[in-house]
Amino acid sequence: PSVLDSFALLSGQLNTLNKVLKHEKTPLLRNQVIIPLVLSPDRDEEIMRQTEGRVPVFSHEVVPDHLRTKPDPEVEEQEKQLITDAARISPDAAQKQIQSLNKMCSNLLEKISKEERESESGGLRQNKQTFNPADTNALVAAVAFGKGLSNRRPPGSGGSVQSGQPGAGGIIAGASGMQQVPMSGAPAQQQPMLAGVQMAQAGQPGK
């Protein structure tokens, strides 16, 4: 009931205000001039609250902009010229210009959307990973430090592997197949050439 009473009161006041404004003796508001009574360079919290923080002060610098009801004379002249030019164009010519403008806008939008799709796909291609870091680290560790390689001696070998021994064929075949090669317990400088791959010699740094 209280809400309905308040609504009825507001409705009555609005109706009364409309009757006053529509009365023939009431002057037109567009003919009235708003004159600022107080101008201050200090910050006004009330104006800040009413304008939602857009106007902090009500000084002589902002009053002409905020109380202006007409555009600048230059802008007004340009608008009049545009209205005059638009009145000279026939409806058919205006329709053709509208269609050509819409076509240009559609082509421009298609180009922009195509460039956006290409940039997104290019970014996805650049961000896509083409290698496995775990495999790369394992290969680097095996080549540099011999990690993961077996230390077992081949059967029947005293210190080096001869081509006539029965275990040499399996070692060479394993080396050519990029599998783990059983290395002997001798130092790296004493290892012979296996499957065309020569170990690092003295004086040459290993890769």
Side-chain angles (χ1 to χ4, degrees):
S2 61
V3 174
L4 292 177
D5 293 341
S6 301
F7 181 78
L9 180 61
L10 289 174
S11 178
Q13 290 179 352
L14 288 174
N15 289 330
T16 303
L17 182 61
N18 285 330
K19 288 180 182 179
V20 172
L21 292 176
K22 291 179 181 178
H23 197 271
E24 58 183 7
K25 293 184 179 180
T26 302
L28 294 177
L29 294 179
R30 68 180 62 184
N31 297 331
Q32 303 298 319
V33 179
I34 298 177
I35 301 175
L37 299 179
V38 178
L39 296 179
S40 174
D42 299 331
R43 182 184 179 91
D44 193 340
E45 296 297 334
E46 183 66 20
I47 293 179
M48 281 281 292
R49 185 183 61 80
Q50 292 180 358
T51 59
E52 299 179 354
R54 292 188 297 270
V55 182
V57 295
F58 198 67
S59 62
H60 64 283
E61 295 180 357
V62 300
V63 164
D65 294 332
H66 290 286
L67 298 184
R68 177 181 295 167
T69 57
K70 293 179 65 177
D72 292 334
E74 295 83 3
V75 177
E76 200 169 8
E77 290 295 330
Q78 292 179 1
E79 288 184 353
K80 289 181 180 179
Q81 185 65 30
L82 290 175
I83 292 172
T84 305
D85 294 341
R88 296 175 182 173
I89 301 175
S90 63
D92 295 338
Q95 189 66 27
K96 290 181 181 179
Q97 291 183 2
I98 291 172
Q99 292 177 357
S100 62
L101 180 61
N102 291 334
K103 186 176 180 181
M104 291 172 59
C105 293
S106 300
N107 294 334
L108 184 60
L109 289 174
E110 289 179 359
K111 290 181 179 180
I112 293 174
S113 60
K114 183 178 179 181
E115 290 181 358
E116 288 180 352
R117 289 195 301 267
E118 290 178 354
S119 62
E120 290 177 358
S121 61
L124 291 176
R125 284 196 299 268
Q126 291 178 359
N127 295 331
K128 187 177 180 180
Q129 197 169 10
T130 58
F131 64 93
N132 190 352
D135 293 344
T136 303
N137 294 333
L139 288 173
V140 171
V143 172
F145 308 108
K147 185 177 179 180
L149 300 178
S150 176
N151 293 327
R152 292 186 296 104
R153 289 178 179 270
S157 63
S160 60
V161 180
Q162 302 293 332
S163 60
Q165 293 181 353
I171 296 172
I172 297 174
S176 62
M178 295 301 291
Q179 297 176 356
Q180 292 186 358
V181 180
M183 303 293 293
S184 64
Q189 288 82 1
Q190 299 177 2
Q191 294 295 330
M193 182 183 296
L194 296 178
V197 180
Q198 188 175 5
M199 303 299 292
Q201 298 177 358
Q204 293 182 353
K207 292 184 180 180

